[in-house]
Amino acid sequence: AGIGKCVAMDLARRNARTILACRSRERGQAAVEEIRAATGNPAVVLRLLDTSSLASVRAFASAVLREEQRLDVLVNNAGVTGLPFAITSEGLEQTFTTNYLGPFLLTNLLLG
């Protein structure tokens, strides 16, 4: 939804292979179908990613590096605000992990 969906729509309109990295399979798949229908680009795909989980970030990055020939653009725009204080299963504060640590790790894993 929001900025991420708009960016994905624009990339797909430019005929780019576009990977939507989403926490929710249902919402992500709905976005993929909407973007494909609006752009005519079949190369819009969904991959699950939860940046509050470093294990999820590592699994996502590993799959991208294994399955994709190259990565030209990475847009880190997901984030949360206003959540109650919570600790992730990995022992990290949830908002900080979601907004900073997860995207930072993802970017660094995909650089190589």
Side-chain angles (χ1 to χ4, degrees):
I3 293 170
K5 188 173 168 186
C6 288
V7 170
M9 185 79 74
D10 187 63
L11 291 170
R13 277 194 181 107
R14 295 168 190 257
N15 237 10
R17 176 168 170 75
T18 306
I19 302 170
L20 276 64
C22 303
R23 276 189 314 247
S24 166
R25 182 179 304 278
E26 294 77 24
R27 290 180 59 197
Q29 192 58 46
V32 164
E33 291 168 13
E34 182 181 338
I35 293 167
R36 284 178 182 168
T39 65
N41 183 344
V44 179
V45 297
L46 173 65
R47 297 288 181 264
L48 297 181
L49 171 63
D50 180 355
T51 59
S52 74
S53 164
L54 301 185
S56 175
V57 171
R58 285 185 177 93
F60 175 87
S62 177
V64 167
L65 292 171
R66 183 178 58 252
E67 297 168 5
E68 302 296 328
Q69 293 180 354
R70 67 185 216 217
L71 179 67
D72 295 313
V73 176
L74 175 64
V75 178
N76 283 320
N77 78 298
V80 295
T81 186
L83 295 179
F85 180 82
I87 301 295
T88 68
S89 62
E90 296 162 314
L92 303 165
E93 196 279 322
Q94 183 175 7
T95 301
F96 181 62
T97 305
T98 302
N99 294 346
Y100 179 74
L101 294 178
F104 181 82
L105 178 61
L106 178 62
T107 300
N108 279 277
L109 290 173
L110 293 176
L111 282 174

